[in-house]
Amino acid sequence: MTKKQKKMRNRIVVTAILFAGLTIGEKLLGLGSLPVYVLALFYVVPYLIIGYDVIRKAAINISHGQVFDENFLMSLSSIGAFFIG
């Protein structure tokens, strides 16, 4: 594995562990009783860890005038899905 692949693997593992922990905590430990915005803030952390590259590429492409590329559309759709729930 290259260094870049190892870094991505580590990010995937960390995100999976955080997401699983949040999901279990929400269902079993009572985190679901927290206000929606607090729970959303907890879920933003794994989203940013795994989606950093796509969000960064989207921001760079927007600054270069390429608004409707796949990175921007994926960022927009995932953020929209995040808010819809």
Side-chain angles (χ1 to χ4, degrees):
M1 288 182 113
T2 65
K3 186 177 180 180
K4 185 176 180 180
Q5 289 172 330
K6 288 179 184 178
K7 184 177 179 182
M8 181 55 75
R9 180 199 58 199
N10 293 341
R11 287 173 52 193
I12 291 170
V13 169
V14 167
T15 300
I17 291 169
L18 286 173
F19 185 75
L22 283 169
T23 303
I24 291 169
E26 187 178 354
K27 304 295 182 194
L28 300 177
L29 302 177
L31 287 180
S33 64
L34 291 173
V36 175
Y37 62 89
V38 173
L39 198 55
L41 286 175
F42 285 143
Y43 278 101
V44 165
V45 174
Y47 173 76
L48 291 176
I49 291 172
I50 201 67
Y52 170 77
D53 294 333
V54 174
I55 295 169
R56 183 176 163 270
K57 287 178 190 176
I60 290 171
N61 289 340
I62 288 171
S63 70
H64 292 301
Q66 297 174 329
V67 177
F68 292 109
D69 67 337
E70 66 274 6
N71 294 307
F72 172 73
L73 294 174
M74 285 303 297
S75 298
L76 184 66
S77 64
S78 63
I79 291 169
F82 191 87
F83 283 109
I84 288 173

